[in-house]
Amino acid sequence: MEIAILSGKRSKDPNTRVGSCIVNEKNRIVGIGYNGLPNGLNDDEFPWGNTGDYLNTKYPFVCHAELNAILNSTSISLENCKIYTALFPCNECSKVIIQSGIREVIYLSDKHHDDDIFIASRMLLDRAGVNYRKLETTIDKMELSYNEENV
């Protein structure tokens, strides 16, 4: 989960920085992603707001972290992999998770639990037999240091 959170720090989204990390059956990282624009597009040329006219928000333009982790995968197959994601996946990401063969979703937050797209997401995952669970941890925060004495 720390890798997922760390990758989310790369997102330019001022409101929601989500990262995802896929691991194979040996717990080796095979994909990492964060929510952002498609490759080659300039972050400064698109809106990042989350309210107002649809075309003036981020929603029609941003690729979610789960999708990017799957697309950035280094593995030929994601069958039986797990995806760690900071935010419970939406219905569109759940479809891609199911199609890719990922068998488990581990998430940190489910703050949009009662929104229709997340209810639909759980319905899709349940019917496809993809397990999901909230990460239970006693770790409150993670700290990085660039001080070479800590290396």
Side-chain angles (χ1 to χ4, degrees):
M1 187 60 77
E2 287 89 355
I3 299 296
I5 293 168
L6 186 60
S7 71
K9 300 288 185 199
R10 296 199 63 193
S11 174
K12 303 294 190 258
D13 189 331
N15 300 302
T16 308
R17 292 185 167 171
V18 178
S20 293
C21 178
I22 302 170
V23 298
N24 65 16
E25 293 175 288
K26 294 180 181 180
N27 283 324
R28 293 194 175 130
I29 296 171
V30 296
I32 298 173
Y34 57 90
N35 57 321
L37 293 174
N39 285 337
L41 298 182
N42 186 332
D43 293 325
D44 298 326
E45 294 177 3
F46 289 86
W48 286 100
N50 57 3
T51 59
D53 179 57
Y54 184 68
L55 292 177
N56 290 317
T57 68
K58 63 185 175 181
Y59 299 113
F61 309 110
V62 170
C63 297
H64 287 180
E66 300 90 342
L67 175 63
N68 276 327
I70 290 167
L71 293 173
N72 293 333
S73 171
T74 61
S75 182
I76 294 171
S77 171
L78 298 179
E79 288 290 327
N80 300 316
C81 286
K82 297 180 211 174
I83 187 166
Y84 289 84
T85 187
L87 190 60
F88 190 85
C90 72
N91 63 313
E92 293 299 320
C93 289
S94 288
K95 290 185 240 181
V96 177
I97 288 167
I98 293 164
Q99 287 291 89
S100 72
I102 291 172
R103 301 307 302 157
E104 185 174 13
V105 175
I106 300 104
Y107 61 91
L108 190 59
S109 172
D110 192 10
K111 66 182 181 179
H112 304 295
H113 183 272
D114 295 325
D115 293 356
D116 285 348
I117 62 173
F118 296 94
I119 293 170
S121 178
R122 287 190 297 281
M123 290 172 66
L124 287 163
L125 295 171
D126 287 341
R127 299 252 170 76
V130 175
N131 297 317
Y132 52 90
R133 62 184 167 90
K134 181 173 176 41
L135 179 71
E136 300 298 332
T137 182
T138 57
I139 299 170
D140 184 46
K141 68 178 181 175
M142 138 182 98
E143 187 173 322
L144 298 174
S145 172
Y146 289 95
N147 184 336
E148 64 185 55
E149 294 174 10
N150 293 328
V151 178

